[in-house]
Amino acid sequence: KTKSGLKCQHCDTRIRSTNYRDFKRHEELCETYKDYIRKESDSFHCLICDRLFKEQPKIFLHLSLKHFKTFIWYISYSETF
């Protein structure tokens, strides 16, 4: 844990949520999809279809629904980059 939240071991994002379950869910999704995402200065790039997303939860949802045909529950937490 850091001063500004818990840090993901897969992407180094700091998750500022009061709910530990949100953090664990982020880590699970990040581990699953990390090979299909490139983090850019102000966005997240889908390496399968080249779409860009401003928020990491949105690219997780995109990958889940469009490329892997699975449903994930929506994540609501604050991130700092």
Side-chain angles (χ1 to χ4, degrees), residues 5 8-10 14-15 17 21 24 26 28 41 43 45 47 53-54 58-61 64 69-70 75 78:
C8 176
Q9 64 181 331
H10 306 291
R14 293 177 191 209
I15 308 299
S17 174
R21 187 174 52 191
K24 292 310 291 177
H26 167 90
E28 290 170 10
S41 61
S43 62
H45 179 199
L47 298 176
F53 296 85
K54 294 287 183 187
K58 289 184 179 176
I59 195 169
F60 287 157
L61 190 60
S64 171
K69 308 296 186 209
T70 58
I75 313 159
S78 299

Side-chain angles (χ1 to χ4, degrees), residues 6-47:
L6 297 168
K7 189 173 181 181
C8 176
Q9 64 181 331
H10 306 291
C11 70
D12 293 331
T13 298
R14 293 177 191 209
I15 308 299
R16 295 184 298 162
S17 174
T18 57
N19 187 340
Y20 185 72
R21 187 174 52 191
D22 287 345
F23 171 72
K24 292 310 291 177
R25 185 65 177 150
H26 167 90
E27 280 203 321
E28 290 170 10
L29 293 170
C30 199
E31 182 177 20
T32 300
Y33 298 124
K34 66 183 178 187
D35 295 332
Y36 307 101
I37 298 171
R38 182 173 64 230
K39 187 175 178 181
E40 299 185 354
S41 61
D42 63 345
S43 62
F44 297 89
H45 179 199
C46 175
L47 298 176

